[in-house]
Amino acid sequence: CIKMDRNHFQVIYEEFADKMKIDRKDRAASLAPYAQKYADKLSGYCQQYPLQWFNFFDIWKVPEALDSKELPSKITDFI
């Protein structure tokens, strides 16, 4: 959804894939091309509209169970 002006937005729908084929034995490898395609699409929109983004995941939130001595060394440690 792109904000065009104060009261108008443009909703963009794009076909992502006709059908996704996922190999149950190697899901990560099967999903990788789809994840890359999605990231490329998002990247294009971020380049076109660099000030229009919102992160729905609170990347800076630290789980309550951790105190400052136990903070993870990187974000992926607690996602």
Side-chain angles (χ1 to χ4, degrees), residues 1-5 8-10 12 42 45-55:
C1 187
I2 307 299
K3 187 173 185 177
M4 304 308 288
D5 60 39
H8 296 92
F9 294 84
Q10 178 183 2
I12 300 171
L42 289 180
Y45 286 115
C46 288
Q47 290 173 22
Q48 271 185 285
Y49 307 98
L51 301 178
Q52 295 192 37
W53 63 274
F54 183 81
N55 186 8

Side-chain angles (χ1 to χ4, degrees), residues 14-64:
E14 293 184 24
E15 186 173 317
F16 183 74
D18 290 329
K19 187 174 183 179
M20 293 177 61
K21 292 185 178 185
I22 307 298
D23 181 4
R24 291 179 182 236
K25 294 178 182 177
D26 195 2
R27 288 183 184 195
S30 294
L31 287 171
Y34 299 110
Q36 186 61 56
K37 183 177 178 179
Y38 180 69
D40 292 343
K41 287 283 185 188
L42 289 180
S43 174
Y45 286 115
C46 288
Q47 290 173 22
Q48 271 185 285
Y49 307 98
L51 301 178
Q52 295 192 37
W53 63 274
F54 183 81
N55 186 8
F56 291 94
F57 176 76
D58 186 359
I59 197 167
W60 306 115
K61 181 180 179 185
V62 176
E64 293 178 16

